[in-house]
Amino acid sequence: MPSNVSHFTPFSTAQAKGLIVVPVFALLSALALAFIVFRSIRLVVIPSFRRNATTCRVPESLFFRTQLGHYAASLVFSNVFLTAAGLIEFYWVKQSGIHQGFMCTSQAVLMQIGSWSTCFFSVAIGVHTCNSLVFHIYQINWLSVAVITFGWIISLVVALAPLSQTGVYGPVTVSCGVTMSHPSKILGLEGFPVIVGSVLAIIVYSLIFLDLRGVLRVEGGMKLTYKSRWCAVSNSEEYRRFIGAIAKSMFWYPIAFVLLLLPFTVANVTQFSGRTIPFGADIFAHVCCFMLGGWYGILSVS
């Protein structure tokens, strides 16, 4: 990693006071994630050691034993990286500025891992649900392991690769990320996953919505119909019914995903164009991003 000896980017007194909003929201997300962890330990981990048949059948335990549950757990874990990056903002507030060095680089790496993995697993959940519910595709057990492994490898490689080049990560307005001296990397590393993930999420979850509404039918081809599909699938597999029940609560997914990451994407595009981001606008973008870290995770397993 880069040396700790580098320049200091100060905040004004007013900026430092306004910046406190960012780590506060990151702290709220951290508390939300802690709630998920303790609840999962109580309802999933402990019963699995006790081998209690009754407690093992609680919804949370059953959910995390499925492939969909594996993707959701990965999504929650990806939110941990975003939240950890947000908590580092407390340090910048305390210092009234950003020191380029190990802490700054660590925040940038955490942000990259968190954003890429969050986008990847948000889409993976949608694709898995769409395959099971809409296209009635049986998905073998090892597939989720392969997809999850691929997602984490991609996220780690993308986040760590810029470390081989000096000056890619550094202070950017209110936090650390890809600096404006590398505009192509801003779009490729920060804008690309959000833009592609948003488009794919809208497409996939639209298919799920149409299927649950009985408007879409896939039988020897994709057709639009106004006949309720529930009459035709009364003998469907138990897992498909389970996926259908879960999917009913997933309509907010593309909305939350796009709306919470849209300000951050706009900020990235602004940087890519060579313009400076207003301090208040960047604070708002980071607040939305760190809100995604915890609350998106809670809703994904609720």
Side-chain angles (χ1 to χ4, degrees):
M1 288 189 177
S3 171
N4 288 330
V5 179
S6 189
H7 68 275
F8 175 70
T9 304
F11 298 138
S12 67
T13 302
Q15 288 175 333
K17 290 180 178 179
L19 184 61
I20 192 63
V21 176
V22 176
V24 166
F25 272 91
L27 179 60
L28 292 175
S29 292
L31 294 175
L33 290 171
F35 169 78
I36 295 175
V37 172
F38 287 122
R39 182 177 174 82
S40 299
I41 291 175
R42 183 173 67 87
L43 297 177
V44 180
V45 178
I46 294 177
S48 66
F49 282 105
R50 291 178 177 176
R51 307 278 183 187
N52 188 313
T54 301
T55 54
C56 283
R57 296 183 69 85
V58 298
E60 290 81 358
S61 181
L62 294 174
F63 176 72
F64 282 111
R65 293 172 187 269
T66 66
Q67 293 186 49
L68 184 62
H70 299 162
Y71 291 126
S74 296
L75 177 60
V76 172
F77 191 55
S78 69
N79 299 157
V80 172
F81 287 93
L82 284 177
T83 301
L87 292 175
I88 292 177
E89 291 294 318
F90 277 118
Y91 182 73
W92 303 141
V93 172
K94 180 181 178 181
Q95 298 294 318
S96 294
I98 302 176
H99 292 276
Q100 181 165 352
F102 177 79
M103 187 69 76
C104 182
T105 302
S106 298
Q107 185 182 39
V109 169
L110 289 171
M111 281 290 294
Q112 287 297 315
I113 295 174
S115 60
W116 274 79
S117 57
T118 296
C119 293
F120 183 90
F121 291 116
S122 296
V123 174
I125 288 175
V127 171
H128 176 82
T129 304
C130 189
N131 284 338
S132 299
L133 189 65
V134 180
F135 298 106
H136 305 170
I137 298 176
Y138 173 77
Q139 299 172 81
I140 51 182
N141 292 329
W142 59 262
L143 181 61
S144 63
V145 177
V147 172
I148 289 171
T149 301
F150 177 76
W152 284 116
I153 289 176
I154 288 295
S155 300
L156 290 171
V157 169
V158 168
L160 296 176
L163 296 180
S164 62
Q165 184 177 353
T166 304
V168 176
Y169 290 144
V172 183
T173 313
V174 304
S175 66
C176 292
V178 181
T179 60
M180 294 183 66
S181 59
H182 297 81
S184 62
K185 288 184 172 61
I186 293 175
L187 187 63
L189 295 177
E190 298 183 341
F192 175 78
V194 178
I195 294 172
V196 174
S198 298
V199 172
L200 292 177
I202 291 173
I203 294 173
V204 170
Y205 288 107
S206 293
L207 292 176
I208 296 172
F209 174 77
L210 292 175
D211 184 81
L212 289 176
R213 294 287 295 178
V215 177
L216 180 67
R217 183 179 62 185
V218 180
E219 293 177 3
M222 188 177 296
K223 301 177 182 179
L224 292 177
T225 176
Y226 289 96
K227 179 180 178 180
S228 176
R229 70 177 296 275
W230 298 113
C231 298
V233 297
S234 57
N235 296 321
S236 61
E237 295 87 347
E238 181 180 356
Y239 185 66
R240 196 185 306 159
R241 292 198 300 269
F242 167 76
I243 290 289
I246 295 295
K248 289 181 179 180
S249 63
M250 294 170 61
F251 294 143
W252 57 266
Y253 257 61
I255 298 174
F257 182 78
V258 173
L259 290 183
L260 289 178
L261 285 182
L262 180 61
F264 198 67
T265 304
V266 172
N268 292 331
V269 173
T270 301
Q271 285 182 287
F272 174 73
S273 65
R275 289 176 291 178
T276 303
I277 309 170
F279 195 85
D282 204 26
I283 286 179
F284 177 74
H286 279 75
V287 165
C288 291
C289 183
F290 296 137
M291 282 177 62
L292 185 73
W295 302 116
Y296 193 37
I298 276 191
L299 292 172
S300 69
V301 296
S302 61

